[in-house]
Amino acid sequence: MKHFLALRDYHKDELTHILNLAFTLKRELKQNIAHPKLAGKTLAMIFEKSSTRTRVSFETGIFQLGGVGLFLSSNDLQMGRGEPIRDTAAVLSRYVDGIMIRTFAHSTVEELARHSSVPVINGLSDLLHPCQAMADVMTMLEHSDKPLEEIKLAYVGDGNNVANSLIYGAASLGYSISIASPKGYEVADHVAQQASTIARSTGAPIHYTHDPAEAIRGADFVYTDVWASMGQEDQQQERLRAFEGFTVTEKLMQLGTPNCKFLHCLPAYRDKEVSAEVCDGPRSIIYDQAENRLHAQKAIMVHLMA
């Protein structure tokens, strides 16, 4: 049995299979072709963090696949009152066919998976956001006529869970990525080292810089995220100062290829990490990207639970 905790756990052919399945499921949905591949299956959805896209896409996705999603907040679970994670994992495994969790500590995801006898999906942790990265790759493929290995992605901003998953995605799938972060907000060393090791097999170029212009030059896609993630609200003012000059503007976008597109995992704060001109302009494909969370996650669920 396999879980979906991090892209680094998957080989290129496995991720490619999931992406191909996502495109098939998306095409069938658009053509009103039913695909009840998880009929009678139940997904427990544990939310320790609030959510828009993760909750709606998973709940809608499992329904479209013929199954049922159970929304479980911290207030709904004994886990929220101190029940050991291993007990929650063991009991839920007796009731459901899969577990998705959106939480803070990545160790919570790992412990849940360690004690679960059904597949566990990482819907988000403070370290990683692999479902988002799969939707991102899907979106890049839809908006480029290049093979994935020839696509260059620039990420400008905090070296956070989204950046980490995009780096693992590049290492495993072979696309080029350049990360620009302010000093003190870089990707963690252990993530960079692991990605470098994985990238030896795919030849993926992974580059780090403190200069947004350097990262974006020649990019096919430019990606950013909020400067202060959930749980970092007390650092808001400090981060605003540290990230000065890292706003993705039209001037920066012009350093990319002529058809360079803008990506953001949302929610977006206009005129902070991205100018309103870019976020709401013709280069922006953020809503296509958000939609693809649905299709990518359906493919992940089918891959693990069918």
Side-chain angles (χ1 to χ4, degrees), residues 289-304:
Q289 181 186 3
E291 179 192 336
N292 282 337
R293 286 287 300 278
L294 171 67
H295 311 300
Q297 288 163 188
K298 284 169 67 176
I300 292 165
M301 287 189 283
V302 171
H303 181 71
L304 296 175

Side-chain angles (χ1 to χ4, degrees), residues 4-6 8 46 48-49 54 100-110 121-132 160-165 168 225 229-230 232 293:
F4 196 82
L5 309 188
R8 64 174 181 244
I46 300 173
E48 294 189 330
K49 282 188 173 186
T54 300
M100 186 282 298
I101 182 167
R102 178 180 169 93
T103 188
F104 292 89
H106 190 69
S107 58
T108 300
V109 181
E110 293 177 324
I121 299 170
N122 178 6
L124 175 141
S125 70
D126 284 349
L127 180 67
L128 296 171
H129 201 352
C131 294
Q132 179 67 58
N160 61 10
N161 50 5
V162 171
N164 292 342
S165 287
Y168 284 141
D225 191 8
S229 298
M230 200 177 299
Q232 298 173 334
R293 286 287 300 278

Side-chain angles (χ1 to χ4, degrees), residues 191-216:
V191 172
Q193 290 166 4
Q194 287 175 334
S196 177
T197 300
I198 298 167
R200 289 173 193 160
S201 63
T202 60
I206 303 175
H207 176 66
Y208 304 94
T209 178
H210 297 299
D211 182 359
E214 181 183 344
I216 293 174

Side-chain angles (χ1 to χ4, degrees), residues 129-162:
H129 201 352
C131 294
Q132 179 67 58
M134 290 295 282
D136 300 337
V137 173
M138 189 178 176
T139 308
M140 290 192 292
L141 286 168
E142 285 181 329
H143 285 270
S144 177
D145 55 6
K146 296 179 180 179
L148 189 56
E149 295 81 4
E150 294 180 15
I151 288 174
K152 178 184 176 181
L153 171 64
Y155 176 92
V156 176
D158 190 24
N160 61 10
N161 50 5
V162 171

